[in-house]
């Protein structure tokens, strides 16, 4: 790729499923897009099959309860606890970081 990284691959996935091969991914990263996925728990369960052992899902999204000068309206955003609960329901252990970024939180799910 252009950055010279041989272990990074980008994949455009559909909102209804990741369509990734089984046990093919170490890390899936979502930034400010998670609220666009309609059946998120099913999506996570499908995504879990694509993760290698100890694989991770990292979701960075905008705070729902803070005034932010850009992005979707607060009514369209998801609270970090909601995403953490979805990850847990899909079988992931969860780590939450709300101090890393000024407008966004980070939720990590590990399988």
């Amino acid at each position: 790729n252009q950055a010279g990284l041989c272990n990074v691959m980008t994949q455009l996935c559909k909102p209804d499923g990741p369509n990734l091969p089984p046990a093919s991914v170490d890390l899936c990263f979502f930034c400010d897009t998670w609220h666009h996925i309609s059946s998120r728990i099913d999506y996570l369960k499908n995504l879990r099959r694509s993760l290698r052992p100890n694989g991770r899902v990292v979701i960075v999204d905008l705070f729902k309860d803070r005034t932010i000068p850009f992005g979707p309206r607060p009514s369209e955003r998801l609270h970090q606890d909601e995403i953490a609960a979805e990850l847990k329901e899909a079988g992931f252990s969860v780590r939450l970081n709300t101090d890393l970024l000024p407008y966004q939180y980070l939720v990590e799910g590990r399988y």
Side-chain angles (χ1 to χ4, degrees):
N1 70 30
Q2 292 177 345
L5 301 173
C6 61
N7 64 343
V8 176
M9 178 184 81
T10 59
Q11 176 73 34
L12 180 61
C13 298
K14 297 180 179 181
D16 61 348
N19 299 321
L20 297 169
S24 64
V25 179
D26 294 311
L27 170 70
C28 289
F29 177 75
F30 299 84
C31 186
D32 297 336
T33 58
W34 193 245
H35 61 277
H36 291 289
I37 297 172
S38 57
S39 300
R40 292 186 297 273
I41 294 169
D42 290 336
Y43 191 98
L44 285 168
K45 289 177 180 177
N46 288 332
L47 186 59
R48 197 177 71 191
R49 294 183 197 110
S50 301
L51 292 174
R52 292 185 179 123
N54 210 27
R56 297 180 301 146
V57 174
V58 174
I59 300 169
V60 174
D61 222 321
L62 297 165
F63 286 106
K64 182 175 181 74
D65 52 0
R66 293 189 188 175
T67 301
I68 299 173
F70 57 87
R73 295 184 301 270
S75 62
E76 297 171 343
R77 300 180 200 157
L78 298 170
H79 193 275
Q80 61 268 22
D81 293 340
E82 185 177 357
I83 294 175
E86 292 171 351
L87 283 160
K88 287 178 185 176
E89 186 173 336
F92 291 86
S93 62
V94 176
R95 187 178 65 111
L96 178 63
N97 187 329
T98 58
D99 300 321
L100 185 65
L101 301 165
Y103 299 118
Q104 298 155 300
Y105 54 83
L106 182 146
V107 186
E108 176 187 22
R110 188 176 293 268
Y111 177 63

